[in-house]
Amino acid sequence: MAETAYDTDNIFAKILRGEIPSHRIYEDEAVVAFMDVMPQGPGHTLVVPKVPSRNLLDADPVTFGPLFTVVQKVAVAVRRAFNADGVTVMQFNEPASGQTVYHLHVHVIPRFDGIALKPHTGAMEKPEVLAENAGRIRAALAS
Ligand code: AMP
């Protein structure tokens, strides 16, 4: 089992530095949340701590309090924004688990009775749909 270092040029590090765009729905001093560009359902959001780690395995445990405080906020907001029946929270660690971007993040996905998730890292969503969904979640966070 090889240990792999954090890559400062991973795509979420670039989003956090503002080098590539994202549909942000939340930011505080420790955490950012933005829309997943290949959503597994409408409103699929990623919650990302600013402090670098590859995933949960190498993260400083102090990261988890602020991170999961925002995961809960976002879960409540997406449920309200999409009138969802439930919310799936997922997090992957290393390729064998399905992780594809190596900066710790948590998936928050609104769920609807009888509707399965779309495939992980499937189709790209249209930017205008992501923008509209982001607006709905921002409004729910503000209400
Ligand atoms: P994981 O497989 O858990 O590492 O999840 C990475 C997630 O990031 C996937 O669901 C991708 O759809 C998503 N993703 C990849 N690139 C971007 C990007 N530029 N902006 C937003 N989400 C992205």
Side-chain angles (χ1 to χ4, degrees):
M1 186 189 70
E3 294 294 325
T4 313
Y6 178 82
D7 173 9
T8 55
D9 278 333
N10 76 76
I11 202 148
F12 292 170
K14 289 182 178 175
I15 287 174
L16 290 170
R17 292 196 294 267
E19 292 168 9
I20 60 171
S22 66
H23 296 273
R24 288 193 188 205
I25 56 105
Y26 179 90
E27 178 164 9
D28 65 25
E29 62 287 351
V31 179
V32 169
F34 51 85
M35 305 313 294
D36 194 306
V37 290
M38 291 173 263
Q40 291 186 252
H44 183 167
T45 302
L46 299 168
V47 184
V48 183
K50 291 181 177 176
V51 64
S53 71
R54 272 177 71 81
N55 53 45
L56 176 139
L57 303 173
D58 62 332
D60 185 331
V62 300
T63 311
F64 301 134
L67 176 62
F68 275 84
T69 298
V70 178
V71 168
Q72 184 193 36
K73 264 190 226 297
V74 170
V76 169
V78 298
R79 185 179 187 205
R80 189 179 306 138
F82 294 90
N83 198 21
D85 299 309
V87 181
T88 291
V89 172
M90 302 193 292
Q91 190 277 321
F92 303 118
N93 301 284
E94 299 300 330
S97 74
Q99 187 178 10
T100 58
V101 177
Y102 300 99
H103 180 114
L104 175 60
H105 57 278
V106 178
H107 299 258
V108 179
I109 312 175
R111 299 301 303 274
F112 304 90
D113 290 337
I115 299 181
L117 288 180
K118 292 185 195 161
H120 184 56
T121 61
M124 288 284 281
E125 185 53 277
K126 296 186 196 73
E128 58 270 27
V129 172
L130 295 175
E132 202 217 311
N133 289 345
R136 286 168 71 163
I137 301 169
R138 282 189 212 104
L141 281 167
S143 67

